[in-house]
Amino acid sequence: MISILYVIAAFGGGAFAAAIGGTQAFIFTGIFSIAGGAAAMAGATEASGVLLNYFAFGPFFGPHIAFAAGAAASAYAKKKGLMENGADCAYQTWSFNEPSVLIVAGIFGVIGCLVKELVMANLFAGTISPRLVTDLPGITVFLSGILARLLFGGKLRTGTEYLSKGKALATTILIGITFSIITGGFYVAAVAADVPVEAFGGNYHVICFGIAAIGLTFAVLGQPFFGCHHILIIAAEAVVQCYNTTGNLYLALVVSVVFGTISALLCDFETKWINSGTDSHIDGPAFAILIMTFVVNACFPVL
């Protein structure tokens, strides 16, 4: 059970993230994800728990608090006429000198905290069934984006297409395949080489997620970086859980590639269907992650 102090911290975390930019806050999520995973590998269990549970996925930079609040702040700022593109989650909204924007962000930080800890954790964290498990920050980020759209944006569906076309779709598929190959292939190659992968401490997917999240630094700097955390985290979850269940390295790699590629396509679908406007941002990667985490755990539950 979370304390009132934790909820208060979530208010501050939401406002802080919106002030520095939701995407920038998410990059910090990646930094602390890798730091926490590395600490676990080094045997520093307590340090890993603090880095992951309170920094990366807690009130400071938890995506359900920080990124979601940044997205909501941009949507609110667009509604108030302060910015043209309410889907720009990298915008540092302190620069508007409009206190209500940061207050809205803080409120969404609290909403994200409460939804994840009190609702999703009691539904989709294995409490009902080990096969009914999803990524709690991911599903909360997605629902928070829908709430912001309904409150501050326009219609829920903004696109007229369901997927990219031609070479754009082919590129998305190829990225899904190749990024999954390196994610799953690294793991199975390590197992085959007798590398003690148990040293990951169950955090291989967190480390892969962190690598992709830090990569968004290039997007903030204006480069056309392909956001790929929805591919890497699913490919990593799939390869680890499939291998743990079947003991077959080749099957684990195939499952990793298939699931990672489907995740890439789900994100593309969501982006074209409901995240193609400028009123607000409803996160495509979160949509893909929440669905594919359900799929991974339905096929290979962590018992």
Side-chain angles (χ1 to χ4, degrees):
M1 180 65 68
I2 58 174
S3 70
I4 185 64
L5 295 176
Y6 192 98
V7 175
I8 292 172
F11 179 88
F16 177 71
I20 69 172
T23 303
Q24 289 86 320
F26 187 69
I27 292 168
F28 277 105
T29 306
I31 293 172
F32 282 103
S33 293
I34 292 179
M41 292 174 65
T45 305
E46 292 185 359
S48 175
V50 171
L51 290 168
L52 292 176
N53 297 328
Y54 289 92
F55 283 93
F57 300 105
F60 227 128
F61 297 116
H64 57 294
I65 293 173
F67 179 79
S74 293
Y76 176 74
K78 166 69 184 298
K79 183 178 181 179
K80 287 185 69 67
L82 298 172
M83 60 189 296
E84 294 183 2
N85 184 3
D88 183 1
C89 298
Y91 205 94
Q92 299 174 28
T93 59
W94 71 268
S95 60
F96 297 131
N97 291 320
E98 175 53 64
S100 64
V101 175
L102 298 185
I103 292 173
V104 166
I107 292 171
F108 267 80
V110 171
I111 291 172
C113 172
L114 294 177
V115 169
K116 173 184 176 290
E117 301 294 339
L118 300 182
V119 180
M120 298 306 161
N122 288 312
L123 293 177
F124 305 127
T127 50
I128 298 175
S129 168
R131 294 183 183 273
L132 192 64
V133 177
T134 192
D135 184 275
L136 302 185
I139 191 171
T140 306
V141 166
F142 181 68
L143 294 177
S144 178
I146 291 177
L147 177 62
R149 172 74 58 82
L150 295 176
L151 291 177
F152 310 131
K155 58 185 180 179
L156 186 59
R157 178 180 174 182
T158 57
T160 57
E161 299 179 354
Y162 293 99
L163 283 173
S164 297
K165 295 181 179 179
K167 290 185 178 180
L169 179 59
T171 299
T172 296
I173 294 172
L174 185 59
I175 285 176
I177 293 171
T178 54
F179 285 23
S180 298
I181 286 176
I182 180 56
T183 304
F186 172 85
Y187 188 85
V188 297
V191 173
D194 294 324
V195 174
V197 292
E198 63 272 9
F200 285 126
N203 287 314
Y204 181 58
H205 66 294
V206 175
I207 294 173
C208 293
F209 171 84
I211 292 170
I214 292 175
L216 289 170
T217 301
F218 299 107
V220 172
L221 293 175
Q223 298 301 310
F225 180 79
F226 188 95
C228 58
H229 47 286
H230 58 293
I231 300 172
L232 268 61
I233 191 173
I234 295 302
E237 289 177 353
V239 72
V240 172
Q241 292 177 220
C242 180
Y243 176 69
N244 288 344
T245 301
T246 67
N248 188 312
L249 291 174
Y250 293 98
L251 177 61
L253 178 57
V254 169
V255 168
S256 175
V257 172
V258 170
F259 283 16
T261 304
I262 293 174
S263 188
L265 290 171
L266 284 172
C267 179
D268 187 85
F269 162 74
E270 192 273 357
T271 300
K272 290 295 182 182
W273 192 46
I274 63 176
N275 198 41
S276 56
T278 61
D279 285 334
S280 69
H281 177 82
I282 301 178
D283 199 56
F287 173 78
I289 289 171
L290 78 89
I291 292 177
M292 291 310 297
T293 304
F294 270 127
V295 174
V296 171
N297 285 287
C299 295
F300 312 105
V302 178
L303 301 176

